[in-house]
Amino acid sequence: MKWEKLKPPEPDDPMCCCECDIDQYGCCCDCEDLDETFSRWLKDRPGKGGCQSPVLGAIIDNLEISMIPALVLLPVLLRVAALHYLLGIIILTALPGLVLWYYYATHKKKRRTLFFLTLALFSLFYMYYLFITEILPRGDISQLQLCTVTAGMIVTIVSLIHTKRGPGFVTSSLHEADSHSQEANKDSTHLNGSIQSAASSGTAAELQTTKEALAAKWSRCPLCKIMRPPRAGHCRTCGSCVQRLDHHCVWINSCVGQANHRSFLFTVTVFVLTSVYGISLVLCSLCPRQYLMTALLYCPGAYSQSSMALCFTCAWYSSIVTGGLLYLLVAQVLNISFNVTEREAQLALRNKTGQRRLWGLVIDTGEYSRGFYQNWVEFLTMADASMAGKWYLVGFATNAQWFVSRRASMKVGTAMMTPTADGDLDMSYASLNSDGTCWRLNNLAKRTDTPGRFTYTSERWGNVNDMSMVDVKYDEYALTHTIKTKDSAPTVVNKLYGRGVSLGPDVLEKFRQFSLETGVLPENIAFLPANAECPAA
């Protein structure tokens, strides 16, 4: 049987009642709401005999309390394992099996648990305690090595605290998202009709087209009932949608998403390096005559003293934990290199839309990958989630009347985007006029509850602006859609920014198609000619 059939369901992996084989009342449907109702009915309906005994169900439901003594018993179990190597083999084999079983039991029930986080922290501090009390007095550890191990542990804890601050939850409400979308669609249709009255007969079609264009990058969560940005997913364990959801990590009792993915990777990396270095120091102290690579398998005299046997057993325990985290680290690095999240990989496997690469270690969906270098650049800058830096205004499209007379004189301008500490966006525009003077405009766009959406009032023009980031690749281009309202008369403005003065034909065509779908006439879509830049203000 394949591993995909045995593993617990991943976050945002909706239960399809067509595939449900745990109940005799399975049925087929296409409605996700009916799937949710069916799943809830199965959970609330009293179970029939033969599925699970009441005693086992009670144990699993109350396992959170009953597993607390296991943390106290962990030192006892390690000391028992240190009595004889056969006991060590039995206990060190049984412990990972019990942990995996508990993981399956809690993850299958979509329950949050502090057990794994507590176990990880307790193991970390206990191993450090033994290192100080048992290995350091032997005199084989220098002050520099002690400081290195201590610094690694401190950095791991600090990084873990930073990771726990949050994965980046999607907090926008359905009412706000729907109101914004409907307002944008109605405004676009109204504006198109005001410029060209003959287009009024196509209002319904334009409304539908505009709605599809604006919603192409966003989706509605069937559980949270909110609009969420691309690559966001719903974690059923946390009960919320997370931006660029990777997976729910039981070891930190939180999701890994856009806001904490980098710190999560850093935490795992520092822990693995510190653990490997600490294990090597312990083995060199216990087995100075053995090669480091073979000391774990053959260390004469390791069981001659109880303290040595305990340290040797803990080295084995640490190696098992480090091996599991090393596998996680390798999987994360490969996923980042192919620009795919763990959630996207699992969905691609289920839908049979991905390809296995590197002997099955990574699932390549081919949807977001833009090459090894660009994938890592995107990952290392994604947590900023902003348009920080310098941009060039390459494309401009609007259905405003003033654009007809001004289009011929418009050229490429520059824009400096500076995110504030509150999540707002300070926008500074500059364009060099033909007479050598510089035209400048500054606005502070206030963030909203909807990610990628900002509002601001122009002090120069007195209009209210509702700006949305439609499509952004922070190292290449950004496409924005703005509805400007003044005296109850709205206009649509689409802008195409680039990190350079020239963009690829596919990006230009994407901008042109989007502008047409949002009610802008073909003659009102302009790709601006090159221009000299204004001097620094």
Side-chain angles (χ1 to χ4, degrees):
M1 185 178 294
K2 294 184 178 180
W3 165 246
E4 288 79 4
K5 299 295 184 179
L6 293 174
K7 66 184 298 184
E10 292 296 325
D12 201 33
D13 192 3
M15 186 185 95
C16 177
C17 54
C18 303
E19 300 175 355
C20 178
D21 56 358
I22 64 175
D23 193 87
Q24 60 179 336
Y25 300 105
C27 60
C28 294
C29 61
D30 295 325
C31 177
E32 291 184 343
D33 290 334
L34 184 56
D35 280 351
E36 179 187 358
T37 304
F38 183 81
S39 178
R40 185 169 57 250
W41 174 73
L42 285 180
K43 293 178 180 180
D44 296 338
R45 184 177 60 84
K48 296 184 179 181
C51 294
Q52 177 177 293
S53 67
V55 176
L56 182 59
I59 291 176
I60 295 177
D61 291 337
N62 297 279
L63 209 51
E64 189 70 19
I65 298 177
S66 65
M67 290 302 289
I68 293 179
L71 302 182
V72 180
L73 290 175
L74 179 61
V76 177
L77 293 175
L78 291 177
R79 289 187 179 273
V80 172
L83 296 177
H84 195 273
Y85 73 93
L86 291 179
L87 290 174
I89 294 175
I90 295 174
I91 293 178
L92 293 179
T93 303
L95 276 179
L98 290 175
V99 171
L100 288 175
W101 172 81
Y102 184 56
Y103 165 74
Y104 184 86
T106 54
H107 199 53
K108 185 177 181 181
K109 284 179 169 290
K110 303 298 182 184
R111 289 181 52 189
R112 299 194 68 175
T113 173
L114 290 172
F115 169 75
F116 297 97
L117 177 60
T118 307
L119 178 62
L121 292 176
F122 182 83
S123 300
L124 179 64
F125 285 111
Y126 185 66
M127 295 302 112
Y128 183 76
Y129 168 77
L130 290 180
F131 182 81
I132 296 297
T133 59
E134 300 291 344
I135 300 299
L136 189 61
R138 297 175 62 88
D140 300 323
I141 305 300
S142 65
Q143 291 295 324
L144 179 60
Q145 292 172 331
L146 174 61
C147 292
T148 302
V149 174
T150 304
M153 192 191 73
I154 294 176
V155 172
T156 300
I157 299 300
V158 172
S159 181
L160 177 62
I161 295 174
H162 185 268
T163 304
K164 286 282 294 179
R165 289 182 176 180
F169 292 106
V170 181
T171 58
S172 59
S173 65
L174 175 62
H175 175 72
E176 291 175 334
D178 282 349
S179 299
H180 172 63
S181 180
Q182 292 174 5
E183 178 185 358
N185 293 334
K186 292 179 180 178
D187 290 342
S188 299
T189 303
H190 171 73
L191 292 168
N192 187 65
S194 64
I195 294 180
Q196 189 180 21
S197 59
S200 60
S201 59
T203 297
E206 292 167 2
L207 178 62
Q208 180 65 23
T209 304
T210 304
K211 182 177 180 180
E212 294 175 355
L214 292 176
K217 296 294 181 177
W218 291 67
S219 62
R220 178 180 298 174
C221 176
L223 300 179
C224 294
K225 307 300 181 184
I226 62 174
M227 297 298 293
R228 58 190 185 186
R231 309 189 75 175
H234 181 87
C235 175
R236 300 200 178 197
T237 304
C238 294
S240 302
C241 283
V242 177
Q243 299 184 56
R244 199 183 183 276
L245 174 63
D246 188 83
H247 70 287
H248 181 89
C249 181
V250 295
W251 296 105
I252 64 173
N253 194 31
S254 177
C255 286
V256 177
Q258 178 171 293
N260 67 349
H261 200 166
R262 293 191 306 178
S263 59
F264 173 78
L265 183 68
F266 180 76
T267 302
V268 176
T269 302
V270 174
F271 178 85
V272 169
L273 293 177
T274 303
S275 182
V276 170
Y277 184 68
I279 294 172
S280 65
L281 292 180
V282 172
L283 293 177
C284 288
S285 179
L286 298 178
C287 312
R289 298 181 180 180
Q290 299 297 322
Y291 291 105
L292 183 61
M293 300 301 296
T294 60
L296 268 178
L297 300 177
Y298 180 69
C299 183
Y303 289 88
S304 60
Q305 299 179 5
S306 59
S307 60
M308 289 183 60
L310 177 61
C311 293
F312 185 74
T313 302
C314 290
W316 259 105
Y317 173 77
S318 300
S319 300
I320 295 174
V321 175
T322 304
L325 289 179
L326 180 61
Y327 173 80
L328 173 63
L329 178 61
V330 171
Q332 286 286 306
V333 170
L334 291 177
N335 284 344
I336 295 169
S337 301
F338 284 85
N339 201 354
V340 60
T341 64
E342 183 64 23
R343 166 182 171 267
E344 292 167 349
Q346 296 303 324
L347 292 177
L349 279 178
R350 189 189 68 179
N351 300 327
K352 299 180 180 180
T353 57
Q355 296 182 351
R356 294 181 179 271
R357 305 287 187 187
L358 301 178
W359 305 282
L361 294 177
V362 65
I363 306 300
D364 183 14
T365 62
E367 185 175 1
Y368 300 103
S369 181
R370 294 185 293 136
F372 177 84
Y373 174 77
Q374 291 298 336
N375 291 340
W376 274 96
V377 168
E378 179 179 331
F379 173 78
L380 295 175
T381 58
M382 70 173 179
D384 297 332
S386 68
M387 295 179 62
K390 182 178 180 180
W391 294 86
Y392 293 91
L393 181 60
V394 178
F396 194 93
T398 181
N399 51 13
Q401 292 286 358
W402 61 264
F403 184 70
V404 177
S405 58
R406 291 283 305 276
R407 173 176 177 172
S409 61
M410 293 184 64
K411 294 183 179 181
V412 169
T414 59
M416 290 297 299
M417 305 293 184
T418 306
T420 67
D422 298 329
D424 301 331
L425 194 61
D426 188 6
M427 305 181 298
S428 177
Y429 297 95
S431 180
L432 190 65
N433 297 322
S434 57
D435 57 359
T437 61
C438 193
W439 180 87
R440 300 182 184 275
L441 180 65
N442 295 315
N443 288 303
L444 179 61
K446 296 287 186 178
R447 68 180 180 90
T448 66
D449 291 336
T450 303
R453 179 186 171 192
F454 301 85
T455 59
Y456 64 94
T457 301
S458 175
E459 296 181 359
R460 177 172 296 187
W461 311 115
N463 51 23
V464 179
N465 296 260
D466 192 346
M467 181 179 69
S468 299
M469 304 294 177
V470 178
D471 191 10
V472 181
K473 289 185 177 179
Y474 298 116
D475 61 333
E476 186 177 355
Y477 70 90
L479 197 163
T480 66
H481 172 75
T482 306
I483 297 178
K484 300 176 178 288
T485 305
K486 184 177 182 181
D487 299 329
S488 300
T491 56
V492 169
V493 174
N494 298 328
K495 294 181 180 180
L496 178 62
Y497 296 94
R499 289 297 186 182
V501 294
S502 60
L503 293 173
D506 56 334
V507 177
L508 301 180
E509 180 62 21
K510 179 186 295 186
F511 175 75
R512 191 183 72 86
Q513 289 295 333
F514 177 79
S515 298
L516 292 174
E517 293 167 353
T518 51
V520 179
L521 299 177
E523 57 268 24
N524 288 342
I525 303 174
F527 297 106
L528 307 180
N531 190 20
E533 298 183 26
C534 290

